[in-house]
Amino acid sequence: MRFGPGMAVLALVLAFAAPAAAEDCPAKSRDEVTASIKAAPSCKRAMQIASACSGGATGDVGLTDAVEERCEGDFLARLKASQKRAYQREKDACDRKFSHEEGTMYISFAAFCRAKVAQRYSQRAIKAK
């Protein structure tokens, strides 16, 4: 396979762009991270903290559970029963999406998928206000 100058430029752009976008984890221990997520001023910030502190493995489940809890505070109490079922179905779809994959990385992917569902519901609720 031959790589032209365009691929070289793209590789350089990606190499320098990715580290600039990354945020450092604001806490040292998992307990501190979880507390920071739960105390985050917004669902969006909670997700940013979880993303910055994720390890790409099973340990991310605790972080994303905290994100879900934080985000659900914005909308869950106001959902009707049918909306709660739809919300749960979307989260369950995340688990099914990665259920046939092996490795702890996929557990993290499913956990972040569920947290993103909660984040979307939170965003909708905030827009509706």
Side-chain angles (χ1 to χ4, degrees):
M1 177 180 275
R2 188 171 166 237
F3 295 103
M7 287 298 285
V9 170
L10 178 62
L12 284 172
V13 168
L14 291 175
F16 289 104
E23 174 185 344
D24 290 332
C25 182
K28 305 238 186 277
S29 73
R30 282 291 194 203
D31 290 339
E32 289 177 8
V33 173
T34 302
S36 295
I37 291 170
K38 289 181 179 181
S42 67
C43 174
K44 180 180 178 179
R45 181 64 188 141
M47 182 62 95
Q48 289 170 337
I49 295 168
S51 295
C53 299
S54 73
T58 307
D60 294 346
V61 173
L63 302 181
T64 57
D65 284 350
V67 171
E68 285 182 55
E69 184 180 322
R70 169 59 190 90
C71 294
E72 286 175 349
D74 294 339
F75 67 88
L76 195 60
R78 292 188 297 276
L79 292 183
K80 296 175 185 171
S82 61
Q83 293 170 315
K84 285 182 182 181
R85 286 191 300 273
Y87 171 59
Q88 188 60 50
R89 277 193 306 273
E90 287 185 51
K91 291 195 318 177
D92 291 344
C94 291
D95 293 330
R96 284 191 307 277
K97 181 177 182 178
F98 298 104
S99 66
H100 301 299
E101 303 294 342
E102 291 185 28
T104 59
M105 166 178 71
Y106 294 104
I107 294 170
S108 174
F109 291 171
F112 269 97
C113 179
R114 288 188 308 272
K116 288 175 185 174
V117 170
Q119 185 180 30
R120 279 195 310 272
Y121 272 73
S122 171
Q123 289 169 341
R124 287 183 205 150
I126 290 170
K127 277 186 180 179
K129 283 185 178 179

